[in-house]
Amino acid sequence: MTARSPAADDGSDEALALLRDARPAPGPPGESRPQGQDRAEPAARPAPRHRASAWADARNVAARAGRAAPARSHRVPLDQALGEILTEPLTALTDLPSFDTSAMDGWAVAGPGPWEVQDGGVLAGHAAPGALADGEAVRIATGARIPAGATAVIRSEHARTDEARTQLQADRVVLHGQDIRPRGQECRSGDVLLPATALVTPAVLGLAAAAGYDELATVPRPRVEILVLGDELLTRGLPHDGLIRDALGPMLGFWLRALGAEVIGTRRLKDDAGALLAAVTGSSADLVITTGGTASGPVDHVHPVLHKAGAELLVDGVAVRPGHPMLLAQIGVTKHLVGLPGNPLAAVSGLLTLAEPLLRELAHRARAVTYTAPLRNEVQGHPHDTRLVPVVHRAERVVPLHYNGPAMLRGIAAADGLAVVPPGGARAGQEVEILDLPWAQAGPGEGCFT
C-alpha cells in the first residue's frame, strides 16, 4: 500500500492553517499533565512502568486473544450480512444466467436475413416464447428469454424494417450468437463463486442473490458495550462548575461500528466500583469498553473491579503516548474488556492499539495492508515510548498535526491517519508506519460498513 494521491500543494494546506499556526501541545519528555478527563492519563515518567508492554507487542497480544476466542457462525438474511465474513464458500445454486437471455434490446433472429417480422415481442420475466423458424425475427427486450431456434440478437440501432414493418434487414454483418448471454456463461450450478473468509460487500450481496441465496453463513459481528465512567461528565450544554462534556460517548459507538463491531449500548456510570462491577459482569457483550479509571487514582476502579471479577490481565499498560494506562483483560472464556484512558486522544490510541486488533480477529476480518510514508516535518519523540501522532497525507508525505495532546481531538478530527513515531522521535523525511483511520482505509477487500 502506498501513500494517497496528493492534493494540489498550492491550496491543500489552507485547511491546516489553524492547526499549523497554533503552538503545538508540549510533547514528551515533560508531557503536560492532562486536563478534564485526565485522571486516566498520568504525567510522563522518565522510564516506562515495568509492566507496560511495548506498543507492537500489545497489538499482537490483542490479536492473539481474538484468534483464541471460540469460533462463531450464524445464518442471516442477505440484508443483515453486509460487512461480515463468510464462514462457508459461496457456491452457485443455479446456472448464471439460468437460461439463454438477450443482452440487448433489439431483434431475435433465426438464420440469415432478411427476416420476416413476427407479431408481438418477447419481454423479460415472461413465459418461454414461441420458437423461431429460419428467416423469422421477433422484438426482444434485454434480459428476456431467447426463443428456441434464434441464432443471434440484433441491436435496435443496427437493424431496420420496411415501410410495412413486415421485413427486417441488418445494417451490418450479423454474427452467430451475438448479444446472446448463453445459459451458464457466468457460472454453473455448484461452482464456487467466493471462498469462506470473503468479506461480504454490496457486490457480494448482489452475487449471492443472483446465485439463488436468501441468507448467508457468516461470522457474527462482535457485540460491544461501552461504559463511559466519570462523575464529571455532562451530556448536554456547556461545561460549568468543574463539569465537562463527555467527548467519548458520542464518538466511540460510531468508531467501533467502523471497526466492524455491533454496538449494543452505551451506558454512563458514576465513579462507583459496585456499579461498574455489576455492569461488567452482567454485560452480554463479547467486548466491554470502559473509558477512564485505568490508572491508580482514588476513583480509578477498573483494576479492582477486574480483580473481583476474576479477570486475567493480558495487557496492563502500554509504552505508547498518548494512552499509556490502557489495558486488555479476559473475563471468563468468551468476554474481553478493553480499558481506555479517559482523555479523548488517549482513548483513540487505545482503540487502535488494543480494540482494533481484537475486534478484527473476533470478526475474522483480514488485517489492513501496512505501509510507511515519509514525514514532512520532524516529530519530537518520547525517550522510551512509541508516539501516535495525527497526520494528513500531502504531496506523497504525511504532515504531523498540532493539537495532539492526550486530551485533544482537534488534531485527530482533521487527520486521515496516525503516524507511529518510534522512541526518540523521527526526522523530516523519515519513513514511519501509518495507521489509517477506519474511514480512510484503502486496503484491498476492505470497506467501511457503518
Side-chain angles (χ1 to χ4, degrees), residues 1-5 368-369 371 393 416 435-448:
M1 184 170 181
T2 57
R4 285 173 186 72
S5 299
V369 176
Y371 69 102
H393 292 75
D416 51 31
L435 300 179
D436 281 329
L437 298 182
W439 39 89
Q441 287 178 354
E446 291 296 321
C448 174

Side-chain angles (χ1 to χ4, degrees), residues 228-233 243 268-273 275-276 301:
V228 180
L229 313 180
D231 292 341
E232 76 278 24
L233 302 179
L243 302 177
R268 290 172 173 83
L269 302 178
K270 296 294 186 181
D271 289 317
D272 182 288
L276 178 58
H301 300 306

Side-chain angles (χ1 to χ4, degrees), residues 91-398:
T91 302
L93 303 180
T94 182
D95 296 344
L96 284 182
S98 55
F99 47 82
D100 294 349
T101 62
S102 176
M104 293 290 171
D105 293 332
W107 299 89
V109 299
W115 301 271
E116 181 180 344
V117 175
Q118 303 300 297
D119 293 336
V122 186
L123 300 177
H126 286 233
L132 292 180
D134 279 355
E136 291 182 339
V138 66
R139 274 282 188 187
I140 194 166
T142 301
R145 185 176 297 194
I146 296 293
T151 55
V153 169
I154 306 174
R155 303 182 187 192
S156 296
E157 61 270 24
H158 296 163
R160 52 189 168 79
T161 60
D162 60 10
E163 291 184 4
R165 298 185 181 276
T166 60
Q167 292 288 322
L168 177 74
Q169 294 198 19
D171 292 337
R172 57 188 65 191
V173 174
V174 178
L175 301 177
H176 187 87
Q178 73 179 29
D179 286 326
I180 293 176
R181 292 188 62 212
R183 176 173 182 162
Q185 181 185 53
E186 186 170 1
C187 66
R188 289 290 185 182
S189 180
D191 285 353
V192 176
L193 306 177
L194 289 170
T197 74
L199 176 69
V200 179
T201 65
V204 170
L205 292 178
L207 176 62
Y213 284 82
D214 298 317
E215 59 183 20
L216 293 173
T218 59
V219 180
R221 291 174 179 267
R223 291 162 51 86
V224 177
E225 185 171 18
I226 302 165
L227 305 178
V228 180
L229 313 180
D231 292 341
E232 76 278 24
L233 302 179
L234 294 169
T235 59
R236 297 175 60 86
L238 296 175
H240 62 87
D241 299 327
L243 302 177
I244 61 171
R245 280 296 296 270
D246 169 27
L248 295 180
M251 175 179 74
L252 290 180
F254 294 105
W255 203 307
L256 288 160
R257 290 186 185 97
L259 293 177
E262 176 190 351
V263 178
I264 63 174
T266 297
R267 300 169 57 189
R268 290 172 173 83
L269 302 178
K270 296 294 186 181
D271 289 317
D272 182 288
L276 178 58
L277 177 63
V280 169
T281 56
S283 177
S284 63
D286 304 302
L287 172 62
V288 175
I289 298 281
T290 62
T291 69
T294 55
S296 54
V299 291
D300 290 333
H301 300 306
V302 174
H303 280 91
V305 161
L306 290 173
H307 178 72
K308 286 186 178 180
E312 177 187 1
L313 276 172
L314 305 179
V315 175
D316 189 11
V318 179
V320 66
R321 305 293 167 144
H324 191 274
M326 67 180 75
L327 62 83
L328 169 64
Q330 182 169 343
I331 307 169
V333 177
T334 60
K335 186 188 302 184
H336 291 84
L337 182 143
V338 169
L340 303 177
N343 273 323
L345 187 58
V348 170
S349 173
L351 276 181
L352 297 182
T353 300
L354 296 178
E356 186 277 330
L358 176 66
L359 289 170
R360 172 179 15 97
E361 295 296 337
L362 288 174
H364 293 197
R365 294 170 67 97
R367 181 175 182 175
V369 176
T370 59
Y371 69 102
T372 63
L375 289 164
R376 196 172 78 175
N377 309 104
E378 179 183 3
V379 177
Q380 183 182 9
H382 188 278
H384 309 287
D385 296 351
T386 299
R387 284 192 71 199
L388 301 181
V389 178
V391 294
V392 289
H393 292 75
R394 291 290 184 270
E396 299 184 358
R397 295 191 173 221
V398 290

Side-chain angles (χ1 to χ4, degrees), residues 74-82 84 200 205 213-218:
H74 65 173
R75 302 194 75 87
V76 292
L78 294 185
D79 62 359
Q80 297 177 27
L82 185 66
E84 297 187 349
V200 179
L205 292 178
Y213 284 82
D214 298 317
E215 59 183 20
L216 293 173
T218 59

